[in-house]
Amino acid sequence: MFIQTTIKQSLKNLRAQKMRSFLTMLGIIIGISSIIIITSVVAGAQSLITNQFNSIGSNVIGIMPGGGNEDGPPAAAMGIVITSLTNKDTEAIAKLPHVDAASSYVSATETVSWSNQKTTASIYGTSASYPNLADVETIQGSFFSKEDERNISSVAVIGQQINDDLFKGVNPIGEKIKIKNNKFTIIGLLEPVGTAGFQNIDNMVFLPVTTAQKKVVGINHVGFIRARIDNEENMDTTVEDIKFLLRDRHDVENPEDDDFTVRSTADAMEALGTVTNALQFFLIAIVFISLIVGGIGIMNIMLASVTERIKEIGLRKAVGATKSQITNQFLTETIIISFLGAIIGIIIGIVISYLISIIVNKLDYDWDFTITSFSIILSCVFAFAIGLTFGIYPAKKAAKFDPITALRYE
């Protein structure tokens, strides 16, 4: 009964100062909504990664230049330029048992022009086996051949968006596009695909990898290699075969000196999940600092409230209120402020997270709207901890007033 009376009185006091109560809980609102948004965005990013990797296929192995530990990303993924992989490595990998197809990749972003039309596109140099890895088909013409790779032929295959941007209804097959002062004859148009595996294939121009190396990018190495395995059951065996092959080709005796990183789709998803989880906890730690600042704000306001209500405290003590009752009164008010701030913050966080998911999906990314029970529970725990921690001092100070002195206070 006492608890119910205390809560009612606390709510009455908070309603009497609506604006001050709102400003008091503003720091909590911002902090809690940030927790909800961060956890939702991280969960959405993880769903995006999962969906994109699923679109690549669960039986694909990626080989990146540069070493890397088992849990972290390869060095090349950190923006470091490493030149350890070559087309010869790709050809050797393609001959391994259980490897159905293997392709080299180099990439660049360049202006592509035809007649008086221009567009900016992703230029991808790949092997002739690329369609077998990406599950794409041409709707006009054909993809380039292994012979085109060997001859460094100036041929290109374009995506649907490039066709729409440059040719606008004109049949592109046989036309010549210009990239970095070099002309390339279009021999194929891909079917519309959209975003797949973190790439918008419709907005890409595909060249034989050797052609892209010599005439566009100006390099001899490859950015990465992908290999498709005949069966998921052979994934682990093939990963080890590729490592053994590349160590032999690169004269690497100690596995710790590997100048490459081999990852299956599952390995890559796990590594990226580790990175996103670490980022999530780092951001939550920063938000917790802002919640502490909000808690300090609550304590300052409650101290001012204690000073304003000295006569009320004296009167309540004069009619028999104990120190614990006075303490509980002010502590309850602080906890209620924190919980109301948490509730409002959770609602705002959910709304903003939902709007983010709508915007990202409108940009043609497969992003799931997710609000985890972990984020809700964490928000409530933080709110209670902040209210309890920063409400004790003002509540104890209020309980220490002498009733006679308090009643005489002006």
Side-chain angles (χ1 to χ4, degrees):
M1 186 68 182
F2 170 73
I3 295 176
Q4 186 177 359
T5 303
T6 302
I7 293 174
K8 286 183 178 179
Q9 183 62 40
S10 299
L11 290 172
K12 181 180 178 182
N13 293 332
L14 294 175
R15 283 196 297 268
Q17 297 285 346
K18 293 185 180 67
M19 182 55 69
R20 185 168 72 179
S21 298
F22 174 74
L23 293 175
T24 303
M25 65 178 74
L26 190 57
I28 301 296
I29 292 173
I30 294 173
I32 295 300
S33 61
S34 297
I35 290 176
I36 300 297
I37 293 169
I38 287 170
T39 53
S40 177
V41 167
V42 169
Q46 288 175 334
S47 73
L48 173 64
I49 291 170
T50 300
N51 294 333
Q52 296 289 5
F53 271 116
N54 288 338
S55 70
I56 294 173
S58 58
N59 61 335
V60 173
I61 294 175
I63 303 97
M64 300 283 288
N69 60 50
E70 292 297 323
D71 298 322
M78 308 304 290
I80 303 172
V81 178
I82 301 173
T83 62
S84 57
L85 296 179
T86 67
N87 289 317
K88 295 294 184 182
D89 292 327
T90 306
E91 293 172 4
I93 290 170
K95 296 175 182 178
L96 287 173
H98 309 301
V99 174
D100 282 343
S103 177
S104 302
Y105 293 81
V106 297
S107 63
T109 300
E110 299 289 346
T111 299
V112 181
S113 61
W114 174 78
S115 184
N116 61 345
Q117 303 295 323
K118 291 184 179 181
T119 188
T120 301
S122 296
I123 311 300
Y124 246 56
T126 66
S127 303
S129 57
Y130 174 81
N132 297 326
L133 280 154
D135 289 329
V136 295
E137 296 181 1
T138 55
I139 54 176
Q140 286 184 255
S142 62
F143 209 77
F144 47 78
S145 65
K146 198 69 182 175
E147 186 177 351
D148 290 323
E149 281 186 62
R150 287 193 293 268
N151 296 335
I152 315 179
S153 301
S154 295
V155 293
V157 177
I158 62 173
Q160 188 63 55
Q161 186 62 52
I162 302 296
N163 179 51
D164 294 341
D165 290 344
L166 292 181
F167 298 100
K168 304 183 187 304
V170 176
N171 185 350
I173 304 302
E175 298 293 336
K176 294 183 183 294
I177 55 175
K178 190 174 182 180
I179 306 172
K180 293 187 71 171
N181 296 320
N182 292 305
K183 291 185 177 182
F184 301 88
T185 302
I186 297 175
I187 62 171
L189 171 64
L190 294 179
E191 63 180 356
V193 177
T195 301
F198 304 103
Q199 304 157 346
N200 183 0
I201 293 179
D202 291 347
N203 193 44
M204 297 176 72
V205 175
F206 293 89
L207 307 176
V209 61
T210 51
T211 303
Q213 288 173 319
K214 302 297 182 183
K215 299 183 178 181
V216 177
V217 188
I219 59 174
N220 292 317
H221 62 278
V222 300
F224 62 97
I225 300 169
R226 279 189 190 143
R228 179 170 291 241
I229 312 307
D230 58 3
N231 194 308
E232 286 186 48
E233 295 177 357
N234 300 318
M235 182 67 71
D236 293 339
T237 301
T238 306
V239 166
E240 293 305 316
D241 287 345
I242 291 173
K243 289 179 180 179
F244 182 83
L245 171 70
L246 292 180
R247 284 172 190 150
D248 181 59
R249 290 183 53 79
H250 296 185
D251 296 323
V252 175
E253 295 182 1
N254 188 343
E256 293 182 0
D257 297 328
D258 284 350
D259 57 0
F260 58 87
T261 303
V262 183
R263 292 274 170 82
S264 66
T265 304
D267 292 335
M269 288 175 62
E270 184 178 349
L272 286 172
T274 300
V275 173
T276 54
N277 286 334
L279 179 62
Q280 173 178 253
F281 286 113
F282 173 73
L283 293 174
I284 288 177
I286 295 176
V287 169
F288 183 67
I289 295 173
S290 74
L291 284 172
I292 292 176
V293 174
I296 294 172
I298 289 177
M299 184 172 66
N300 288 335
I301 295 296
M302 291 307 296
L303 286 172
S305 178
V306 168
T307 302
E308 292 176 359
R309 293 160 62 184
I310 289 178
K311 281 193 174 183
E312 175 194 326
I313 295 168
L315 182 61
R316 291 189 63 190
K317 280 198 165 187
V319 296
T322 64
K323 283 186 176 182
S324 63
Q325 289 175 330
I326 298 296
T327 300
N328 290 337
Q329 175 69 50
F330 282 90
L331 193 56
T332 300
E333 288 184 21
T334 309
I335 292 175
I336 288 174
I337 286 175
S338 298
F339 264 116
L340 287 175
I343 292 170
I344 296 172
I346 289 170
I347 294 171
I348 292 174
I350 290 173
V351 170
I352 293 176
S353 299
Y354 181 67
L355 292 176
I356 290 173
S357 70
I358 291 176
I359 293 171
V360 175
N361 278 289
K362 288 289 185 182
L363 295 173
D364 201 27
Y365 290 100
D366 196 357
W367 181 283
D368 296 339
F369 169 63
T370 306
I371 299 296
T372 63
S373 56
F374 166 76
S375 64
I376 303 294
I377 294 171
L378 186 65
S379 298
C380 293
V381 169
F382 275 0
F384 179 78
I386 293 294
L388 187 63
T389 303
F390 291 95
I392 288 177
Y393 177 68
K396 291 288 186 183
K397 182 177 180 180
K400 289 180 180 178
F401 282 115
D402 177 73
I404 296 175
T405 304
L407 287 169
R408 290 176 176 175
Y409 181 80
E410 295 294 338

